[in-house]
Amino acid sequence: MAEDNSYESMLCVKPEVHVYKIPPRASNRGYRAADWKLDEPAWSGRLKISAKGKIAYIKLEDKNTGELFAQAPVEQYPGCVVESVTDSSRYFVIRIEDGNGRHAFIGLGFADRGDSFDFNVALQDHFKWVKQEGELAKQEASESTAPKLDLSFKEGQTIKISIGQNIKKKEAGAKPRPTGVGLLPPPPGAKVGGVIPPPVGEQTVSAVPTNSASLLDFGSPGPAAPPSSDVWGDFTSAGSNSSKDAVKTGWVQFS
């Protein structure tokens, strides 16, 4: 992406800030706002943060006329151009430049804690965007230098696609699904009606006796049956025996 250095975007505007003269830093532990004369600011005015390309500019202007008091170009944040103090979140130390190569460090303070938070977030968001743009540029450069995959057909190269045959094979190999839902198939060897035929070679035995006709035919005279074939003999003997047993046991026999 080509950068347009002529375009300047506004990142943050705060109507009131204070500038302080700061003493030289006595140690490497950082600056302390308590060492400044906070009740006697050296200058008060308006703050603007603008961006032009990758560089952010902190501008201190007069509230009424808009005249530029000081400017601090920021190329990296956090960095040496903007530093937080160690004892407060409303005060910072910035390095201003006059455009001729000279620079100085001044104290910058906000009356409200929310204004100092917006100042900090505006710088963080801008340089986060700068980092993302740099990563995208590196990715595009690596993709342009990498060899591209050639998927084109070579001269005389052909391919064969058999769409219809595959469909026919799938249809032939598909098994029909059972129409019933939730029913188990019958066991092997059973018929659909549920009756299992008898094994081959066995004959069924009829439950009806062969002499049933003689039991039902009382009027027709027939040939005398042999003594061993008396139909009522078993019942008579059983009745006589039962009567004797009844007399012995004291039961009354009814005739």
Side-chain angles (χ1 to χ4, degrees):
M1 183 183 296
E3 296 181 1
D4 187 5
N5 295 326
S6 62
Y7 177 74
E8 185 175 5
S9 60
M10 193 64 59
L11 304 180
C12 181
V13 177
K14 293 300 173 183
E16 185 178 2
V17 294
H18 305 290
V19 173
Y20 303 92
K21 292 182 180 180
I22 58 175
R25 185 165 51 182
S27 63
N28 294 329
R29 291 182 298 177
Y31 293 96
R32 297 178 68 254
D35 297 336
W36 309 345
K37 296 180 179 181
L38 299 179
D39 55 345
E40 297 178 2
W43 180 89
S44 297
R46 179 176 58 199
L47 177 140
K48 288 183 178 179
I49 302 178
S50 61
K52 200 172 184 180
K54 296 181 179 180
I55 302 176
Y57 296 89
I58 300 174
K59 297 180 180 181
L60 302 175
E61 300 176 349
D62 187 83
K63 292 181 181 179
N64 301 320
T65 63
E67 181 182 0
L68 182 65
F69 171 74
Q71 177 176 272
V74 185
E75 298 181 359
Q76 183 180 358
Y77 183 78
C80 60
V81 179
V82 181
E83 298 182 39
S84 301
V85 297
T86 58
D87 58 346
S88 177
S89 61
R90 295 189 295 115
Y91 297 93
F92 301 86
V93 175
I94 64 174
R95 188 181 70 176
I96 58 176
E97 296 182 2
D98 62 354
N100 297 323
R102 295 181 299 179
H103 64 272
F105 291 93
I106 61 174
L108 179 68
F110 296 88
D112 185 64
R113 198 177 305 276
D115 293 340
S116 63
F117 177 79
D118 295 341
F119 170 81
N120 193 16
V121 170
L123 292 174
Q124 287 180 354
D125 290 346
H126 171 71
F127 286 99
K128 186 183 296 183
W129 170 80
V130 171
K131 182 179 179 180
Q132 292 176 355
E133 290 293 318
E135 292 177 354
L136 289 176
K138 291 180 181 179
Q139 184 177 358
E140 292 178 357
S142 62
E143 290 178 357
S144 61
T145 56
K148 296 182 179 180
L149 183 62
D150 186 11
L151 299 177
S152 60
F153 287 100
K154 305 299 185 291
E155 184 177 357
Q157 184 179 3
T158 59
I159 61 174
K160 182 179 180 181
I161 301 176
S162 302
I163 299 177
Q165 295 180 0
N166 293 335
I167 296 176
K168 291 180 180 179
K169 289 180 180 179
K170 289 182 180 179
E171 292 179 353
K175 296 181 179 180
R177 296 183 177 179
T179 56
V181 179
L183 299 178
L184 296 176
K191 294 186 178 180
V192 179
V195 179
I196 302 175
V200 180
E202 295 183 4
Q203 297 180 356
T204 58
V205 180
S206 176
V208 182
T210 56
N211 56 357
S212 60
S214 61
L215 291 175
L216 300 178
D217 191 4
F218 293 99
S220 59
S228 61
S229 62
D230 186 5
V231 178
W232 300 101
D234 295 338
F235 293 98
T236 305
S237 60
S240 61
N241 294 332
S242 62
S243 61
K244 292 178 181 180
D245 295 338
V247 172
K248 290 179 181 181
T249 57
W251 290 92
V252 180
Q253 180 178 7
F254 295 93
S255 58

PDB file of all heavy atoms in Angstrom, residues 81-100:
ATOM      1  N   VAL A  81      10.517   9.692  23.251  1.00  0.00           N
ATOM      2  CA  VAL A  81       9.866  10.975  22.993  1.00  0.00           C
ATOM      3  C   VAL A  81       8.766  11.241  24.016  1.00  0.00           C
ATOM      4  O   VAL A  81       8.563  12.373  24.455  1.00  0.00           O
ATOM      5  CB  VAL A  81       9.309  11.013  21.563  1.00  0.00           C
ATOM      6  CG1 VAL A  81       8.599  12.329  21.281  1.00  0.00           C
ATOM      7  CG2 VAL A  81      10.430  10.820  20.559  1.00  0.00           C
ATOM      8  N   VAL A  82       8.048  10.216  24.418  1.00  0.00           N
ATOM      9  CA  VAL A  82       6.972  10.348  25.414  1.00  0.00           C
ATOM     10  C   VAL A  82       7.237   9.344  26.531  1.00  0.00           C
ATOM     11  O   VAL A  82       7.288   8.133  26.290  1.00  0.00           O
ATOM     12  CB  VAL A  82       5.584  10.090  24.782  1.00  0.00           C
ATOM     13  CG1 VAL A  82       4.488  10.261  25.835  1.00  0.00           C
ATOM     14  CG2 VAL A  82       5.343  11.018  23.613  1.00  0.00           C
ATOM     15  N   GLU A  83       7.390   9.853  27.751  1.00  0.00           N
ATOM     16  CA  GLU A  83       7.629   9.004  28.923  1.00  0.00           C
ATOM     17  C   GLU A  83       6.620   9.348  30.012  1.00  0.00           C
ATOM     18  O   GLU A  83       6.287  10.522  30.216  1.00  0.00           O
ATOM     19  CB  GLU A  83       9.046   9.206  29.477  1.00  0.00           C
ATOM     20  CG  GLU A  83      10.162   8.837  28.520  1.00  0.00           C
ATOM     21  CD  GLU A  83      11.539   9.016  29.145  1.00  0.00           C
ATOM     22  OE1 GLU A  83      11.681   8.697  30.353  1.00  0.00           O
ATOM     23  OE2 GLU A  83      12.450   9.481  28.445  1.00  0.00           O
ATOM     24  N   SER A  84       6.153   8.328  30.702  1.00  0.00           N
ATOM     25  CA  SER A  84       5.259   8.537  31.844  1.00  0.00           C
ATOM     26  C   SER A  84       6.086   8.770  33.096  1.00  0.00           C
ATOM     27  O   SER A  84       7.196   8.244  33.242  1.00  0.00           O
ATOM     28  CB  SER A  84       4.350   7.325  32.049  1.00  0.00           C
ATOM     29  OG  SER A  84       3.576   7.082  30.898  1.00  0.00           O
ATOM     30  N   VAL A  85       5.535   9.560  34.030  1.00  0.00           N
ATOM     31  CA  VAL A  85       6.218   9.775  35.303  1.00  0.00           C
ATOM     32  C   VAL A  85       5.927   8.585  36.215  1.00  0.00           C
ATOM     33  O   VAL A  85       5.012   7.784  35.970  1.00  0.00           O
ATOM     34  CB  VAL A  85       5.754  11.092  35.952  1.00  0.00           C
ATOM     35  CG1 VAL A  85       6.121  12.275  35.065  1.00  0.00           C
ATOM     36  CG2 VAL A  85       4.262  11.067  36.226  1.00  0.00           C
ATOM     37  N   THR A  86       6.678   8.457  37.250  1.00  0.00           N
ATOM     38  CA  THR A  86       6.571   7.287  38.120  1.00  0.00           C
ATOM     39  C   THR A  86       5.539   7.444  39.223  1.00  0.00           C
ATOM     40  O   THR A  86       5.160   6.441  39.845  1.00  0.00           O
ATOM     41  CB  THR A  86       7.933   6.997  38.760  1.00  0.00           C
ATOM     42  OG1 THR A  86       8.358   8.149  39.503  1.00  0.00           O
ATOM     43  CG2 THR A  86       8.961   6.660  37.693  1.00  0.00           C
ATOM     44  N   ASP A  87       5.053   8.656  39.475  1.00  0.00           N
ATOM     45  CA  ASP A  87       4.169   8.879  40.620  1.00  0.00           C
ATOM     46  C   ASP A  87       2.781   9.363  40.240  1.00  0.00           C
ATOM     47  O   ASP A  87       1.986   9.684  41.129  1.00  0.00           O
ATOM     48  CB  ASP A  87       4.806   9.877  41.597  1.00  0.00           C
ATOM     49  CG  ASP A  87       5.122  11.208  40.939  1.00  0.00           C
ATOM     50  OD1 ASP A  87       5.092  11.273  39.682  1.00  0.00           O
ATOM     51  OD2 ASP A  87       5.386  12.187  41.656  1.00  0.00           O
ATOM     52  N   SER A  88       2.417   9.410  38.942  1.00  0.00           N
ATOM     53  CA  SER A  88       1.093   9.878  38.549  1.00  0.00           C
ATOM     54  C   SER A  88       0.801   9.407  37.125  1.00  0.00           C
ATOM     55  O   SER A  88       1.722   9.198  36.325  1.00  0.00           O
ATOM     56  CB  SER A  88       0.993  11.406  38.634  1.00  0.00           C
ATOM     57  OG  SER A  88      -0.279  11.849  38.188  1.00  0.00           O
ATOM     58  N   SER A  89      -0.504   9.252  36.835  1.00  0.00           N
ATOM     59  CA  SER A  89      -0.917   8.876  35.475  1.00  0.00           C
ATOM     60  C   SER A  89      -1.376  10.083  34.659  1.00  0.00           C
ATOM     61  O   SER A  89      -1.738   9.916  33.496  1.00  0.00           O
ATOM     62  CB  SER A  89      -2.056   7.852  35.548  1.00  0.00           C
ATOM     63  OG  SER A  89      -3.184   8.405  36.206  1.00  0.00           O
ATOM     64  N   ARG A  90      -1.343  11.300  35.240  1.00  0.00           N
ATOM     65  CA  ARG A  90      -1.802  12.505  34.531  1.00  0.00           C
ATOM     66  C   ARG A  90      -0.653  13.333  33.970  1.00  0.00           C
ATOM     67  O   ARG A  90      -0.899  14.333  33.286  1.00  0.00           O
ATOM     68  CB  ARG A  90      -2.642  13.377  35.469  1.00  0.00           C
ATOM     69  CG  ARG A  90      -3.937  12.728  35.905  1.00  0.00           C
ATOM     70  CD  ARG A  90      -4.851  13.700  36.650  1.00  0.00           C
ATOM     71  NE  ARG A  90      -4.295  14.153  37.906  1.00  0.00           N
ATOM     72  CZ  ARG A  90      -3.940  15.424  38.175  1.00  0.00           C
ATOM     73  NH1 ARG A  90      -4.072  16.361  37.232  1.00  0.00           N
ATOM     74  NH2 ARG A  90      -3.458  15.766  39.352  1.00  0.00           N
ATOM     75  N   TYR A  91       0.585  12.904  34.201  1.00  0.00           N
ATOM     76  CA  TYR A  91       1.734  13.717  33.795  1.00  0.00           C
ATOM     77  C   TYR A  91       2.701  12.889  32.953  1.00  0.00           C
ATOM     78  O   TYR A  91       2.910  11.700  33.196  1.00  0.00           O
ATOM     79  CB  TYR A  91       2.455  14.287  35.021  1.00  0.00           C
ATOM     80  CG  TYR A  91       1.594  15.218  35.831  1.00  0.00           C
ATOM     81  CD1 TYR A  91       0.850  14.732  36.910  1.00  0.00           C
ATOM     82  CD2 TYR A  91       1.501  16.572  35.520  1.00  0.00           C
ATOM     83  CE1 TYR A  91       0.051  15.567  37.656  1.00  0.00           C
ATOM     84  CE2 TYR A  91       0.698  17.428  36.265  1.00  0.00           C
ATOM     85  CZ  TYR A  91      -0.030  16.924  37.325  1.00  0.00           C
ATOM     86  OH  TYR A  91      -0.831  17.768  38.061  1.00  0.00           O
ATOM     87  N   PHE A  92       3.289  13.560  31.966  1.00  0.00           N
ATOM     88  CA  PHE A  92       4.229  12.924  31.034  1.00  0.00           C
ATOM     89  C   PHE A  92       5.398  13.872  30.798  1.00  0.00           C
ATOM     90  O   PHE A  92       5.317  15.081  31.068  1.00  0.00           O
ATOM     91  CB  PHE A  92       3.555  12.618  29.689  1.00  0.00           C
ATOM     92  CG  PHE A  92       2.364  11.702  29.794  1.00  0.00           C
ATOM     93  CD1 PHE A  92       1.101  12.220  30.064  1.00  0.00           C
ATOM     94  CD2 PHE A  92       2.495  10.336  29.609  1.00  0.00           C
ATOM     95  CE1 PHE A  92       0.005  11.385  30.147  1.00  0.00           C
ATOM     96  CE2 PHE A  92       1.406   9.498  29.692  1.00  0.00           C
ATOM     97  CZ  PHE A  92       0.152  10.017  29.969  1.00  0.00           C
ATOM     98  N   VAL A  93       6.459  13.298  30.277  1.00  0.00           N
ATOM     99  CA  VAL A  93       7.617  14.073  29.834  1.00  0.00           C
ATOM    100  C   VAL A  93       7.755  13.854  28.338  1.00  0.00           C
ATOM    101  O   VAL A  93       7.847  12.696  27.880  1.00  0.00           O
ATOM    102  CB  VAL A  93       8.905  13.650  30.564  1.00  0.00           C
ATOM    103  CG1 VAL A  93      10.106  14.410  29.988  1.00  0.00           C
ATOM    104  CG2 VAL A  93       8.780  13.917  32.056  1.00  0.00           C
ATOM    105  N   ILE A  94       7.750  14.948  27.548  1.00  0.00           N
ATOM    106  CA  ILE A  94       7.856  14.838  26.094  1.00  0.00           C
ATOM    107  C   ILE A  94       9.083  15.618  25.621  1.00  0.00           C
ATOM    108  O   ILE A  94       9.513  16.593  26.265  1.00  0.00           O
ATOM    109  CB  ILE A  94       6.582  15.347  25.393  1.00  0.00           C
ATOM    110  CG1 ILE A  94       6.372  16.833  25.649  1.00  0.00           C
ATOM    111  CG2 ILE A  94       5.367  14.546  25.831  1.00  0.00           C
ATOM    112  CD1 ILE A  94       5.201  17.424  24.873  1.00  0.00           C
ATOM    113  N   ARG A  95       9.606  15.155  24.505  1.00  0.00           N
ATOM    114  CA  ARG A  95      10.761  15.819  23.906  1.00  0.00           C
ATOM    115  C   ARG A  95      10.292  16.625  22.702  1.00  0.00           C
ATOM    116  O   ARG A  95       9.820  16.063  21.714  1.00  0.00           O
ATOM    117  CB  ARG A  95      11.807  14.792  23.469  1.00  0.00           C
ATOM    118  CG  ARG A  95      13.116  15.416  23.005  1.00  0.00           C
ATOM    119  CD  ARG A  95      14.095  14.357  22.556  1.00  0.00           C
ATOM    120  NE  ARG A  95      13.668  13.738  21.306  1.00  0.00           N
ATOM    121  CZ  ARG A  95      14.383  12.824  20.658  1.00  0.00           C
ATOM    122  NH1 ARG A  95      15.550  12.412  21.168  1.00  0.00           N
ATOM    123  NH2 ARG A  95      13.946  12.292  19.547  1.00  0.00           N
ATOM    124  N   ILE A  96      10.418  17.931  22.764  1.00  0.00           N
ATOM    125  CA  ILE A  96       9.968  18.814  21.682  1.00  0.00           C
ATOM    126  C   ILE A  96      11.158  19.187  20.803  1.00  0.00           C
ATOM    127  O   ILE A  96      12.320  19.161  21.235  1.00  0.00           O
ATOM    128  CB  ILE A  96       9.292  20.080  22.243  1.00  0.00           C
ATOM    129  CG1 ILE A  96      10.264  20.845  23.159  1.00  0.00           C
ATOM    130  CG2 ILE A  96       8.018  19.693  23.002  1.00  0.00           C
ATOM    131  CD1 ILE A  96       9.705  22.175  23.681  1.00  0.00           C
ATOM    132  N   GLU A  97      10.878  19.529  19.539  1.00  0.00           N
ATOM    133  CA  GLU A  97      11.919  19.924  18.575  1.00  0.00           C
ATOM    134  C   GLU A  97      11.500  21.224  17.905  1.00  0.00           C
ATOM    135  O   GLU A  97      10.297  21.493  17.722  1.00  0.00           O
ATOM    136  CB  GLU A  97      12.121  18.818  17.521  1.00  0.00           C
ATOM    137  CG  GLU A  97      12.645  17.514  18.093  1.00  0.00           C
ATOM    138  CD  GLU A  97      12.876  16.462  17.021  1.00  0.00           C
ATOM    139  OE1 GLU A  97      12.653  16.787  15.829  1.00  0.00           O
ATOM    140  OE2 GLU A  97      13.254  15.329  17.357  1.00  0.00           O
ATOM    141  N   ASP A  98      12.479  21.994  17.513  1.00  0.00           N
ATOM    142  CA  ASP A  98      12.197  23.273  16.856  1.00  0.00           C
ATOM    143  C   ASP A  98      12.354  23.216  15.342  1.00  0.00           C
ATOM    144  O   ASP A  98      12.203  24.218  14.656  1.00  0.00           O
ATOM    145  CB  ASP A  98      13.102  24.373  17.421  1.00  0.00           C
ATOM    146  CG  ASP A  98      14.578  24.080  17.171  1.00  0.00           C
ATOM    147  OD1 ASP A  98      14.896  22.967  16.664  1.00  0.00           O
ATOM    148  OD2 ASP A  98      15.420  24.935  17.486  1.00  0.00           O
ATOM    149  N   GLY A  99      12.661  22.060  14.786  1.00  0.00           N
ATOM    150  CA  GLY A  99      12.840  21.924  13.350  1.00  0.00           C
ATOM    151  C   GLY A  99      14.249  22.171  12.870  1.00  0.00           C
ATOM    152  O   GLY A  99      14.560  21.916  11.695  1.00  0.00           O
ATOM    153  N   ASN A 100      15.125  22.652  13.739  1.00  0.00           N
ATOM    154  CA  ASN A 100      16.516  22.923  13.380  1.00  0.00           C
ATOM    155  C   ASN A 100      17.480  21.936  14.023  1.00  0.00           C
ATOM    156  O   ASN A 100      18.698  22.180  14.052  1.00  0.00           O
ATOM    157  CB  ASN A 100      16.911  24.357  13.799  1.00  0.00           C
ATOM    158  CG  ASN A 100      16.098  25.396  13.053  1.00  0.00           C
ATOM    159  OD1 ASN A 100      15.791  25.225  11.853  1.00  0.00           O
ATOM    160  ND2 ASN A 100      15.743  26.481  13.746  1.00  0.00           N
TER     161      ASN A 100
END
